[in-house]
Amino acid sequence: MSGFDGAAAFDGEAAFDALRRAMAENSEEPEGPARNARAEQLLAEAEKLTIPLAVIEALGHQLKVYNYSSEKAKMFVPFARLLRMWDERPEDFDEYETHSLHWVFKWMTAGMLDQPHIPLAAMEKWLGEMEHRYRLAGHSERAVRSAEYSVAAHIGDRARAERAYAAWLAADRDAMADCHACELHEQGWWQVRQGRDAEALDLWAPVLEGEFTCAHEPHAALASSLAPLLRLGRLEEARANHLRGFRLVRSMESMRGAYADHVEFCALSGNEARGLELLAERPAYFTDDGHPRSRLDFMAVVALLMDRLVELGPADRPVPGPSGRSWTAAELAAHAREEALALAARFDERNGTSHVGERARARMAQRPLVDRLPLGVRAARTVAAPPPAPPAPVLAQEPDLPALIAEARRLSDTLQPNAVEAWAAVARAAQDVELDPRDRAEIADHEAMDRGPEGAGLFEQAAELYAQAGDPGEALAAHARAAYVRALAGEIDEALTAVAGPYDEVLALYAADSTGVRQTASVVMSRARILMRQVQEGGEGGILSEAEGAVREVLALVEGRTEDDVRLAARVAEAQAMLAELAARTGDVESAAELFTWAAEGFVEAGLPWFAVEYEARLAGLLHHLGDLAGTERALRAALEHGGPHLEPVGRAQLRLQLAEVVGGRGLAEEAAEHALEAAHWADEAGEGRTLGAWARHQLGGYLVRLGRWAEAAEVLESALPDLRPETHGDGVVVQTQWWLGDCLSELGEHREAAERRLQAAEIARHWPEQHDHATLAHLAAESLGAAGLPAEADRAYARAGGLWREIGNVHGLIRSLRARAWLALRAEDGTDAARELMAQAVQECEAALGDVGSDEEARARLVGELGHTHRQFGDLLARSVSEDAEDDSIRAVLEEALTQVAESIVLFASLGGDALDARTGAELAAGWLAADLSRPEEAAARARAVLAAYGSDGSPSGDDTTGRDRRDADGGTEPTRRDAGDATAQARRAEAAQMLALMEEQMEEQQD
């Protein structure tokens, strides 16, 4: 913050300059009361000066910071004072302040609309005043008609709004028209009001895509686009615009209305938990009253979100609300609705219509547009766990119970996923009915299946009932199932003992035709399962052989006898899967993959695709191990398809994540991001948000980085970081996430934050045995610190990186760190000598490395290129170091030295042939301009002709020069990359060379004359 004080020892122009610097610094501060208070102080200091323009500029500054804050109501006083000063002494206003005065007329119109205590008649009078003054100043009526449209649209006068809208668009754009971005946003908003969502999005497209921007755009357009995109079913765009847009408005206090749009999006897209997080971030938005219209918008969407939470239950869940007390969802819903309707009533009373209240009620009454739109960022599911189903009433009519039993038996006979639930429904319906032993046996049997390892007792009960029903084979099968669940509980020896009797008995019954193949297969399979469990617990050798024998016994019994019996077909498929498991354990991966394939196909062909999922997932792992990525992908896609709605959330998350990694490895980052997004969503649903979900978000962020979707990636990666733990995910994942996040923040212009992330990653990487990542991150952090305007910190970071590059023997990184430090030194006061010394050191390091490179021609070529770039930058640095106040001879000497350095770079680039064509021609042009500055037009013209000759007449490289433009490698190095002839670089070089040649030929003709 500037130390400007009007009471300082100096005054006049020096004090005015200090005031201006202080106002510029204050403009860069975050929006809010602190910045507004500073503007008020600066106005007081300006009033101490005897310069009217100082007061005018300070009032303009105060007006601007009020407008971009929650205290918009304070704008009217400084503007009224400015207008009075203009009317009294317009000559005190310079050109810029004259323009600004007329510009903020528009702010006053919008500001009056936002304040319900200002009468409508005053606004109409103000419109007339604005039109009159614009006409006197010679401005178009475009801004006036836009302001009139805003008034008419606000009060609900559609006919007038349509007329003003048409006149607005028909009028000429001039210096008073709003920027393209703001105009397009408002035009699109009107289309939404008329129910034309698609047309609105077409209008907003140039703003959303970044073609037109301003201080509040695309922030506002991104927020406004959310509900229309949801209504149109363009969900991926809505998700992206929410992540991009919220990042932009999060820190901008003045954008409460846009913030409300993001809360509304959460309520309409099944992201209620994220909506609560947004409310918690901005507690002041509940009470700030300087801008009533945005407060109305905010309270309306708070009511919408709270109503949704009450609907999902429970109503007494704690929620963030106005400070001073705790709130439940039901309480805040009532409070927010009351506040919103009270504000709407004030506007409607002022306007003489019911329009604002109708729109507020409609907004609060909206219903969700999608059940849930996954965002990729972590948020707990707000939907309460579904309550247990109430007991079904006893059926009044006897035939209904047999129908339930028949349906349950059909489902269990065909192994349908909901068979257990069907038998539970039978049990509820038969509470007061005496069933026969068979029905009771099946009820107990399926309840036991539902209980898993705790169902042994019920299986035994079912066995007794099956025996009473005269089915000894099924009774033995139930005993065998009881034995198997004991194995699941870890009692494997006991399970083997328990299954031995039923196994011997069922074989005897089967041999005597006293039971069927289905019952016999059930017992034999239970025994095989128990032995497989023993194998999984670590059994080897003879146990493996015994298990394989038991599995093959199942196949010998069932194969060829399945006919239309789904249960028997399932036995065959499961047995093949068991053999696959045994093959994998013995290292026969190819056989295991083949057997898992057969097992999965068997389940699918039997009409039981959901049973195939487990084995397709195993198959995918084996095929990946074998390097069959196409097969891996097919297996994963099949598992997702076959699992359908029956997949558990955690299984769905795992499959999606594996598929993301496979397709991402094929370069399909867009599809990989979709799968990673789904994986994150299902991990959260499974309660695995901090583990599997964090890994999925890490992956999703990486794919978004590859796609250049920096804002989305930053939101996702920031969401992942708190849950990523070295002990859980590995410190490499933490470092990579920080690294990617630093890249995102750098691309978004958040350089100080990027530096912080990169330094955090470097701190972890410095403990690794291999120091390449540590050096790279230190170097990147230095770049960010420099871009953030922290040269001293950047120099220290570059020095740290340089030391690391030297330690690991990476001369390219060392040279680049020295060059970067040289440029930083040049920016410092009296830093020219230090800059020269650092650049000279970079040359020396490169020359020394060339002397040690030996016979590695590729390494030599890279070093020659590096030396060429260093000489070129040395020349540029020298040229820029020239002081305008220096003597002519001194300037000429420095320029001669600079030309020598650039000429040396040309020789080095030329030695590399076509691989350095663009670098050479760029240096030729730089040398040409230096020669021109030294009044040597013949030399400059020769340089220009050399560039033209290098590319040929059509811009394509002449001779063998078919490669060019440099590409950064992992170290920030350069390597040649193939490019199309006549590309943009070649065309630009030729154009510049032609311009230089024409200028030099003109100078030579003048010299001759």
Side-chain angles (χ1 to χ4, degrees):
M1 183 71 71
S2 169
F4 172 77
D5 186 338
F10 54 85
D11 57 13
E13 289 302 318
F16 193 5
D17 288 343
L19 173 69
R20 282 173 163 162
R21 287 194 298 273
M23 289 189 294
E25 290 174 4
N26 195 44
S27 293
E28 297 302 316
E29 292 297 311
E31 295 177 354
R35 187 171 76 158
N36 295 352
R38 177 60 175 161
E40 292 162 5
Q41 293 173 0
L42 292 174
L43 174 60
E45 300 297 344
E47 289 170 336
K48 296 176 184 178
L49 304 178
T50 57
I51 305 173
L53 184 58
V55 176
I56 291 168
E57 290 187 13
L59 284 167
H61 173 65
Q62 188 183 75
L63 198 156
K64 179 179 178 181
V65 299
Y66 284 158
N67 183 60
Y68 293 110
S69 79
S70 62
E71 298 180 305
K72 291 178 184 286
K74 291 184 176 182
M75 289 192 301
F76 302 107
V77 172
F79 182 74
R81 184 175 173 188
L82 275 171
L83 198 58
R84 183 171 65 251
M85 293 176 72
W86 168 263
D87 289 338
E88 293 173 355
R89 289 181 57 84
E91 64 273 19
D92 288 341
F93 289 70
D94 62 14
E95 182 179 358
Y96 177 82
E97 294 302 328
T98 299
H99 176 274
S100 295
L101 177 70
H102 287 82
W103 180 268
V104 296
F105 264 89
K106 299 178 295 182
W107 293 0
M108 295 303 107
T109 306
M112 290 179 179
L113 280 178
D114 298 337
Q115 304 293 332
H117 69 277
I118 299 179
L120 188 62
M123 284 190 288
E124 295 289 359
K125 180 180 178 181
W126 183 257
L127 277 175
E129 179 77 7
M130 180 181 177
E131 184 172 8
H132 171 68
R133 289 180 180 267
Y134 271 41
R135 187 180 301 116
L136 287 178
H139 296 308
S140 163
E141 66 170 11
R142 188 177 182 93
V144 178
R145 298 284 76 83
S146 173
E148 181 188 5
Y149 147 80
S150 296
V151 172
H154 171 68
I155 66 176
D157 187 343
R158 179 170 178 174
R160 184 185 180 192
E162 290 279 16
R163 291 194 302 272
Y165 183 90
W168 165 26
L169 268 62
D172 292 336
R173 281 189 57 83
D174 68 349
M176 284 299 111
D178 280 337
C179 73
H180 280 291
C182 288
E183 283 205 333
L184 288 172
H185 178 225
E186 187 64 27
Q187 291 162 21
W189 183 84
W190 179 245
Q191 298 303 318
V192 170
R193 289 279 297 272
Q194 308 314 308
R196 298 189 285 264
D197 288 338
E199 290 84 345
L201 290 164
D202 288 342
L203 281 166
W204 289 332
V207 183
L208 299 176
E209 293 166 6
E211 181 179 347
F212 300 125
T213 62
C214 70
H216 278 185
E217 294 293 353
H219 317 43
L222 285 164
S224 296
S225 74
L226 298 174
L229 286 168
L230 288 177
R231 287 192 290 267
L232 292 171
R234 292 160 61 173
L235 303 184
E236 174 61 23
E237 292 174 71
R239 184 195 73 82
N241 286 5
H242 169 63
L243 294 181
R244 290 173 56 207
F246 182 68
R247 187 171 193 85
L248 293 173
V249 304
R250 173 184 272 143
S251 63
M252 299 186 72
E253 184 199 45
S254 64
M255 299 201 73
R256 178 164 54 182
Y259 201 98
D261 289 340
H262 286 277
V263 176
E264 177 185 54
F265 164 82
C266 293
L268 298 179
S269 63
N271 286 285
E272 299 85 5
R274 181 165 172 83
L276 291 177
E277 292 175 0
L278 267 58
L279 296 187
E281 285 193 33
R282 279 292 186 179
Y285 276 173
F286 287 99
T287 52
D288 283 346
D289 58 4
H291 191 245
R293 185 151 66 154
S294 71
R295 184 161 182 253
L296 166 58
D297 290 336
F298 185 75
M299 297 308 287
V301 300
V302 170
L304 171 68
L305 178 62
M306 293 304 117
D307 284 346
R308 176 65 177 152
L309 290 171
V310 169
E311 180 181 341
L312 296 172
D316 61 352
R317 83 169 69 227
V319 295
S323 59
R325 55 159 291 186
S326 59
W327 294 88
T328 67
E331 291 168 342
L332 187 56
H335 171 77
R337 182 176 299 276
E338 181 181 355
E339 290 286 310
L341 291 177
L343 284 165
R346 290 175 59 198
F347 280 105
D348 283 341
E349 182 180 6
R350 187 271 303 273
N351 299 339
T353 69
S354 60
H355 183 67
V356 175
E358 291 169 356
R359 286 186 53 77
R361 289 183 177 85
R363 191 170 198 180
M364 291 186 286
Q366 293 178 98
R367 299 296 303 159
L369 297 169
V370 293
D371 175 54
R372 189 181 186 193
L373 175 60
L375 302 178
V377 293
R378 181 168 65 83
R381 183 68 156 145
T382 51
V383 177
V394 176
L395 298 176
Q397 298 179 352
E398 184 72 18
D400 287 347
L401 183 55
L404 282 174
I405 293 172
E407 176 61 11
R409 191 162 286 142
R410 182 190 69 80
L411 293 173
S412 59
D413 284 346
T414 56
L415 297 178
Q416 298 301 304
N418 49 348
V420 169
E421 289 78 6
W423 280 107
V426 170
R428 291 192 299 270
Q431 285 179 358
D432 298 324
V433 178
E434 184 66 31
L435 296 175
D436 64 39
R438 177 74 190 199
D439 295 336
R440 289 157 54 205
E442 292 189 70
I443 290 173
D445 208 357
H446 286 83
E447 185 181 349
M449 294 176 193
D450 193 36
R451 292 193 183 183
E454 298 176 0
L458 278 169
F459 277 128
E460 298 291 359
Q461 180 183 333
E464 293 176 5
L465 290 167
Y466 280 127
Q468 292 176 26
D471 190 342
E474 199 61 56
L476 292 171
H479 281 304
R481 286 191 284 274
Y484 175 56
V485 297
R486 289 191 176 94
L488 292 178
E491 301 173 6
I492 295 175
D493 291 340
E494 295 84 346
L496 286 170
T497 300
V499 81
Y503 171 73
D504 292 336
E505 291 179 46
V506 82
L507 290 179
L509 284 174
Y510 183 66
D513 288 333
S514 297
T515 193
V517 69
R518 178 191 284 191
Q519 291 80 3
T520 307
S522 180
V523 177
V524 175
M525 178 57 82
S526 291
R527 178 172 177 269
R529 288 173 175 168
I530 295 169
L531 288 167
M532 288 297 299
R533 190 73 181 175
Q534 189 175 30
V535 169
Q536 292 162 4
E537 292 292 324
E540 299 292 343
I543 295 173
L544 285 171
S545 299
E546 187 177 358
E548 181 178 353
V551 174
R552 294 197 180 278
E553 185 177 10
V554 174
L555 289 173
L557 175 67
V558 176
E559 277 189 314
R561 298 181 176 86
T562 59
E563 298 175 350
D564 295 329
D565 192 323
V566 171
R567 285 178 177 266
L568 294 180
R571 301 294 185 211
V572 173
E574 184 180 355
Q576 289 170 333
M578 288 176 171
L579 292 176
E581 172 74 21
L582 293 169
R585 284 186 170 271
T586 60
D588 190 354
V589 179
E590 290 83 356
S591 295
E594 184 177 26
L595 286 162
F596 275 130
T597 301
W598 291 350
E601 290 174 352
F603 280 120
V604 173
E605 290 170 3
L608 306 170
W610 47 88
F611 284 118
V613 173
E614 176 185 352
Y615 307 119
E616 286 164 334
R618 291 292 311 279
L619 174 62
L622 293 174
L623 292 175
H624 192 273
H625 176 76
L626 292 169
D628 182 358
L629 297 184
T632 303
E633 185 177 337
R634 283 195 303 273
L636 291 170
R637 291 187 188 280
L640 282 168
E641 177 188 351
H642 293 149
H646 309 298
L647 266 177
E648 292 293 326
V650 68
R652 194 180 299 274
Q654 290 168 339
L655 289 172
R656 286 283 187 180
L657 192 52
Q658 290 168 12
L659 189 53
E661 293 173 357
V662 172
V663 300
R666 291 205 292 121
L668 303 177
E670 189 84 43
E671 184 183 351
E674 294 173 10
H675 292 303
L677 173 64
E678 288 292 323
H681 164 71
W682 289 110
D684 290 343
E685 291 291 296
E688 298 286 342
R690 296 183 181 277
T691 51
L692 184 61
W695 172 251
R697 274 180 271 280
H698 162 81
Q699 293 284 65
L700 172 59
Y703 295 129
L704 292 172
V705 166
R706 283 167 60 178
L707 292 166
R709 291 156 60 176
W710 308 110
E712 295 172 66
E715 284 291 303
V716 170
L717 294 168
E718 286 174 343
S719 176
L721 267 174
D723 294 328
L724 290 172
R725 296 284 184 272
E727 59 273 17
T728 304
H729 302 93
D731 55 7
V733 171
V734 178
V735 167
Q736 182 63 79
T737 304
Q738 296 273 28
W739 194 326
W740 281 333
L741 183 53
D743 291 347
C744 293
L745 296 172
S746 178
E747 292 288 342
L748 294 169
E750 301 174 32
H751 299 296
R752 189 184 293 261
E753 294 80 3
E756 180 180 352
R757 295 299 185 182
R758 288 166 167 174
L759 288 170
Q760 288 171 352
E763 180 60 24
I764 298 173
R766 79 183 182 90
H767 300 289
W768 295 351
E770 207 287 320
Q771 289 289 286
H772 182 275
D773 286 343
H774 182 199
T776 304
L777 285 162
H779 198 116
L780 290 171
E783 289 182 5
S784 295
L785 290 166
L790 300 168
E793 292 86 344
D795 183 72
R796 287 194 294 271
Y798 275 125
R800 173 186 174 188
L804 291 167
W805 291 129
R806 187 186 296 279
E807 285 178 17
I808 64 177
N810 189 316
V811 68
H812 296 278
L814 172 60
I815 292 164
R816 289 189 189 94
S817 67
L818 289 167
R819 292 198 308 238
R821 293 181 65 197
W823 285 108
L824 283 172
L826 187 65
R827 290 160 52 184
E829 188 174 350
D830 299 327
T832 301
D833 290 343
R836 281 172 168 265
E837 182 179 344
L838 286 163
M839 200 64 83
Q841 188 179 345
V843 171
Q844 292 166 7
E845 293 286 353
C846 204
E847 289 174 341
L850 268 171
D852 297 336
V853 75
S855 59
D856 187 338
E857 290 302 319
E858 183 179 350
R860 175 174 292 278
R862 285 193 67 199
L863 283 168
V864 168
E866 199 74 77
L867 183 57
H869 286 294
T870 306
H871 278 296
R872 165 68 196 275
Q873 289 194 37
F874 204 165
D876 292 343
L877 182 141
L878 291 168
R880 295 183 194 182
S881 71
V882 174
S883 171
E884 294 180 358
D885 300 330
E887 297 292 332
D888 288 347
D889 288 346
S890 175
I891 293 174
R892 188 173 186 85
V894 173
L895 293 180
E896 288 281 10
E897 187 180 357
L899 181 55
T900 299
Q901 292 288 344
V902 177
E904 182 63 27
S905 76
I906 294 169
V907 172
L908 291 164
F909 290 139
S911 71
L912 297 175
D915 286 350
L917 173 64
D918 288 345
R920 174 168 67 85
T921 55
E924 288 274 15
L925 290 169
W929 291 119
L930 286 168
D933 289 341
L934 289 165
S935 302
R936 299 207 290 265
E938 296 88 351
E939 182 180 342
R943 298 287 188 190
R945 292 190 188 97
V947 172
L948 293 171
Y951 287 112
S953 60
D954 63 350
S956 62
S958 60
D960 294 329
D961 288 341
T962 56
T963 59
R965 194 161 45 235
D966 291 332
R967 180 177 71 227
R968 286 265 183 188
D969 66 12
D971 299 336
T974 56
E975 61 180 61
T977 180
R978 181 71 55 181
R979 63 172 172 77
D980 295 330
D983 71 359
T985 301
Q987 297 296 341
R989 293 280 197 272
R990 281 185 55 80
E992 186 178 352
Q995 177 191 22
M996 180 186 294
L997 183 59
L999 287 172
M1000 295 305 102
E1001 288 177 342
E1002 182 179 343
Q1003 286 185 21
M1004 287 186 287
E1005 289 176 4
E1006 291 174 356
Q1007 290 175 357
Q1008 291 174 355
D1009 293 340

